[in-house]
Amino acid sequence: MIKAGAIDKGMCLLMKNAPYLVVEREFVSPGKGSAFVRLKLKSLTTGQTLQETIKTNDSVEEAQVADRNAQFMYADATDYHFMDTENYEQFAVPREGMEDKQYYLQEGHTYYVTEWEGKFIEVKIPYKIVLTVTEAQEALKGDTVTGATKTVVLETGLSIRVPIFIKQGEKVMINTESNEYVERVNS
Amino acid sequence: MPRCWINRGLPPAFFVYILACMTGEVIRARAALTAGVRSFFTGKNYLEVETPLLAPALIPEAAIEVFKTRFEHPYRAGRDLYLTPSPELWMKRLIAGGMGNIFQICKAFRNAEALGRLHNPEFTILEYYTVNADCRDSLELTQELFAHLVKVCEEAPGVFAGAALRERLARLAPPFRRMSMAQAFGQYAGLDLEEFCPREPAAAPEAARRLSARARGLGLPAGEGDAWEEAFNRVFAGVVEPALPRDKPLALTCYPRGVRCLAKDVPGTPWNERWELYACGMEIANCFTEEADAEKIAAYFREEAPLKEKALVPHAIDGDFTSLYAHREKAPGRARDSSGNLFGASQKIAAYGPAAAEGLPRAADAPKSADTSGVAVGLDRLFMAFLGEEAIGGVILFPFSDIIAPHS
């Protein structure tokens, strides 16, 4: 058990017998009163998010989770397949509840896969990743509006809005939390 | 974002470069806003004052932890001193001394506050006190301050560059929304707060049990033995505050008396004359019609002082502060003095009656108040709102989290 005031972003908590990832943490002491911590939690079993406000001196339980460093191999209809980079053991992570991960997982790249009570419940995607543009329309001539954007499709199938100068075959960095374009990457 | 780079092991020249290139815009905008605050108050004939940051004793506030330090005399005994968590204890002395309307921009220090998006243990506070005024007058004044700062931003668009400027200013421009605590609890927690307010101190434990039970009904982890203020805070922080509207600044008025503070009571109701201002979802300012009844202030000290003994940093209690008010009883003639009437009798309050619970309306024929009203503003947070910064580290140079404790 730890005090709620010691909770930090990225921790895993056990609430109502289920593991939750701390996505956001903010301290508030309303009206010069006692201190609270406001948490945005993501269920590691259902993917749903919830907000909790608890007193900083309330006790909470940390979920006993372990992260495995693993290389992504391929996805099939039901699972994502990984290989542990330490012992080369292969394992499958069910897609259910993590369907959106398919847009960020790149074959051959390594990720942290979170294990809780023998189940793989989360694949941690880096905050920023670089993906290749596979489908992009040519910008219309004469379209000189500042900040004009267009939609392109990336190698993983993800569609995002990018500035009009981005061409097919180029690499772009994206923010995986907001699905926003960050910058063009020169390879 | 003005982030501090010194802890990254970069050479000083690079650091200066970062300051000049990356943060110059925010530094200049902050300076312009501070100048705007000053010009607003001096333009209204408020006297700017500077009071000590070191004090031998403080007003007891159970929820605030303080910084303790020590004065060493080279030849005699030294003594413990405390960094002031707000300049209130000095500024009220000036008001009592007949100084008239005053304001101050200074540093305030609060210990043991968890760092994060909204807290820096050392922050800039703006306090202003208006005599012959109550918290309604202070709310009008604060709206004028916001209007003035909006104008400052509009007149220097180069300094306050950014595509979202106009939209941001529209969200900060008066008029503010006003909502009483009772309305907020009714709307967002579905409970009649008045029903849960103890009518007399002896009823508090029973009221606390009822409110805790209701909090648990709302899915909040309220303990069986929570005091009334705890139970109230749980419901407020858990379900009310997150739901407050954010499209305009919001003055949340008429706090329940069960939340102990130095604000005056609204007679015949469980509320007191206090408001807090929220802007962009942040608590930005706190205002009282200052309590002037010596007995009530002494009672506040009696209740809060023992709680300080359990604090992480216990501090000496400012006993002289209560005697300021006791003086009033001995010299009633002084209470009519129009220049320094912290101790003035309130002739005005009857003009409001219980209607004051509806968000501080003012009776058209209400006489001018004989009270004093003070407002404390977290200036860094105010600047965050005006500059569209998401974290307090974005508006202060050398944020605490960068220079002292990068990992806490």
Side-chain angles (χ1 to χ4, degrees):
Chain A
M1 298 290 262
I2 56 163
K3 293 286 182 197
I7 294 173
D8 212 342
K9 208 170 144 175
M11 274 185 180
C12 289
L13 304 177
L14 200 62
M15 303 189 96
K16 295 164 191 134
N17 296 318
Y20 286 85
L21 178 72
V22 179
V23 184
E24 277 174 30
R25 176 216 61 175
E26 189 169 291
F27 292 99
V28 287
S29 24
K32 293 208 283 179
S34 46
F36 286 82
V37 59
R38 187 161 287 152
L39 304 171
K40 196 169 146 196
L41 301 165
K42 184 173 156 233
S43 165
L44 290 174
T45 46
T46 67
Q48 283 173 328
T49 56
L50 81 142
Q51 219 186 45
E52 282 278 332
T53 305
I54 37 185
K55 271 178 68 80
T56 49
N57 59 6
D58 284 348
S59 293
V60 288
E61 201 170 336
E62 269 190 281
Q64 299 303 317
V65 295
D67 280 342
R68 285 172 77 164
N69 200 270
Q71 191 178 59
F72 176 58
M73 301 195 301
Y74 63 97
D76 60 25
T78 54
D79 297 292
Y80 299 115
H81 295 269
F82 288 87
M83 182 179 68
D84 192 307
T85 53
E86 276 179 27
N87 56 20
Y88 307 109
E89 184 198 330
Q90 294 189 10
F91 58 92
V93 179
R95 289 176 81 128
E96 199 188 339
M98 285 191 274
E99 288 84 355
D100 61 327
K101 305 277 185 203
Q102 63 175 298
Y103 297 115
Y104 309 104
L105 289 170
Q106 291 167 276
E107 281 174 30
H109 287 231
T110 55
Y111 301 87
Y112 283 109
V113 179
T114 307
E115 190 176 2
W116 176 69
E117 295 194 342
K119 285 181 289 194
F120 298 104
I121 53 171
E122 170 74 348
V123 179
K124 288 181 181 160
I125 303 292
Y127 181 57
K128 286 175 181 168
I129 61 171
V130 175
L131 293 171
T132 306
V133 178
T134 50
E135 282 174 46
Q137 303 232 303
E138 285 295 311
L140 293 171
K141 262 216 167 85
D143 191 353
T144 53
V145 184
T146 318
T149 60
K150 61 180 180 183
T151 303
V152 297
V153 181
L154 306 174
E155 58 180 300
T156 55
L158 182 69
S159 297
I160 63 158
R161 293 202 68 80
V162 299
I164 49 173
F165 59 76
I166 298 292
K167 296 189 187 70
Q168 193 166 318
E170 287 185 323
K171 289 187 156 100
V172 292
M173 182 181 281
I174 64 159
N175 174 332
T176 56
E177 279 181 16
S178 60
N179 277 342
E180 279 167 358
Y181 163 88
V182 179
E183 62 185 11
R184 180 167 60 185
V185 180
N186 297 319
S187 46
Chain B
M1 290 266 286
R3 307 301 294 174
C4 176
W5 289 73
I6 47 176
N7 60 333
R8 318 257 159 98
L10 295 166
F14 182 77
F15 174 54
V16 171
Y17 171 77
I18 292 290
L19 270 186
C21 296
M22 290 180 64
T23 70
E25 194 178 283
V26 178
I27 298 169
R28 272 190 289 278
R30 186 179 166 125
L33 284 169
T34 307
V37 170
R38 276 213 167 84
S39 69
F40 174 77
F41 284 105
T42 37
K44 289 196 166 293
N45 278 326
Y46 281 65
L47 191 65
E48 180 165 10
V49 297
E50 283 185 83
T51 58
L53 297 178
L54 288 171
L58 301 170
I59 298 169
E61 289 182 90
I64 293 179
E65 290 284 352
V66 301
F67 282 93
K68 183 178 180 178
T69 184
R70 204 173 153 73
F71 169 71
E72 299 294 354
H73 192 288
Y75 307 110
R76 294 188 208 151
R79 72 178 295 177
D80 291 338
L81 292 172
Y82 306 92
L83 289 167
T84 49
S86 97
E88 176 182 5
L89 77 162
W90 304 117
M91 292 183 81
K92 284 186 176 170
R93 282 175 162 82
L94 294 174
I95 291 289
M99 192 65 99
N101 298 345
I102 50 174
F103 81 100
Q104 171 157 225
I105 298 169
C106 66
K107 290 287 188 185
F109 302 86
R110 297 194 186 169
N111 209 343
E113 277 187 345
L115 306 176
R117 197 175 75 82
L118 297 173
H119 294 96
N120 202 62
E122 166 181 352
F123 63 99
T124 306
I125 199 168
L126 160 69
E127 278 204 19
Y128 43 98
Y129 287 84
T130 311
V131 298
N132 297 119
D134 59 25
C135 62
R136 294 157 195 79
D137 301 302
S138 285
L139 192 51
E140 297 299 324
L141 183 70
T142 307
Q143 289 200 139
E144 284 181 49
L145 171 65
F146 269 59
H148 182 79
L149 294 179
V150 165
K151 218 166 122 226
V152 166
C153 293
E154 282 168 350
E155 285 173 359
V159 180
F160 300 95
L165 177 68
R166 191 165 304 181
E167 190 191 326
R168 200 159 70 228
L169 293 181
R171 290 164 73 96
L172 290 165
F176 299 163
R177 276 176 181 276
R178 297 175 189 204
M179 186 184 271
S180 72
M181 263 297 185
Q183 286 168 334
F185 268 69
Q187 201 157 335
Y188 305 117
L191 66 84
D192 181 352
L193 185 57
E194 190 163 359
E195 249 180 57
F196 290 91
C197 288
R199 282 285 156 185
E200 72 252 340
E206 187 269 334
R209 270 193 299 280
R210 282 193 294 127
L211 189 52
S212 286
R214 192 61 180 264
R216 282 191 295 276
L218 292 165
L220 301 167
E224 294 281 343
D226 276 0
W228 192 88
E229 192 170 343
E230 290 301 332
F232 168 83
N233 279 332
R234 283 205 193 262
V235 180
F236 181 68
V239 299
V240 178
E241 200 194 64
L244 294 175
R246 293 175 175 214
D247 56 335
K248 278 266 163 201
L250 168 76
L252 196 55
T253 64
C254 296
Y255 274 59
R257 232 176 269 175
V259 178
R260 278 197 302 270
C261 64
L262 290 171
K264 198 165 179 154
D265 296 341
V266 181
T269 73
W271 321 119
N272 55 25
E273 295 222 352
R274 173 183 182 186
W275 54 258
E276 287 239 354
L277 186 67
Y278 282 82
C280 305
M282 290 179 286
E283 196 182 316
I284 277 187
N286 179 39
C287 170
F288 300 160
T289 299
E290 303 295 344
E291 178 61 79
D293 183 303
E295 184 38 51
K296 284 186 175 163
I297 289 168
Y300 170 87
F301 271 64
R302 275 198 302 275
E303 285 167 14
E304 289 292 290
L307 300 176
K308 288 308 306 189
E309 289 165 19
K310 285 182 253 162
L312 293 174
V313 186
H315 63 74
I317 305 296
D318 185 358
D320 293 345
F321 188 85
T322 39
S323 66
L324 278 180
Y325 293 85
H327 182 66
R328 170 200 179 195
E329 325 291 287
K330 291 176 200 145
R334 209 181 141 194
R336 303 285 179 279
D337 182 347
S338 66
S339 62
N341 64 349
L342 177 65
F343 312 135
S346 177
Q347 307 115 353
K348 183 183 172 185
I349 198 68
Y352 307 119
E358 310 297 336
L360 302 168
R362 179 194 295 284
D365 56 346
K368 201 162 167 55
S369 176
D371 291 309
T372 291
S373 174
V375 184
V377 178
L379 213 49
D380 307 291
R381 290 187 186 175
L382 182 81
F383 293 162
M384 282 167 68
F386 273 85
L387 300 176
E389 289 287 343
E390 281 297 308
I392 199 163
V395 298
I396 38 188
L397 288 169
F398 313 108
F400 189 84
S401 53
D402 280 5
I403 56 173
I404 307 289
H407 302 295
S408 39

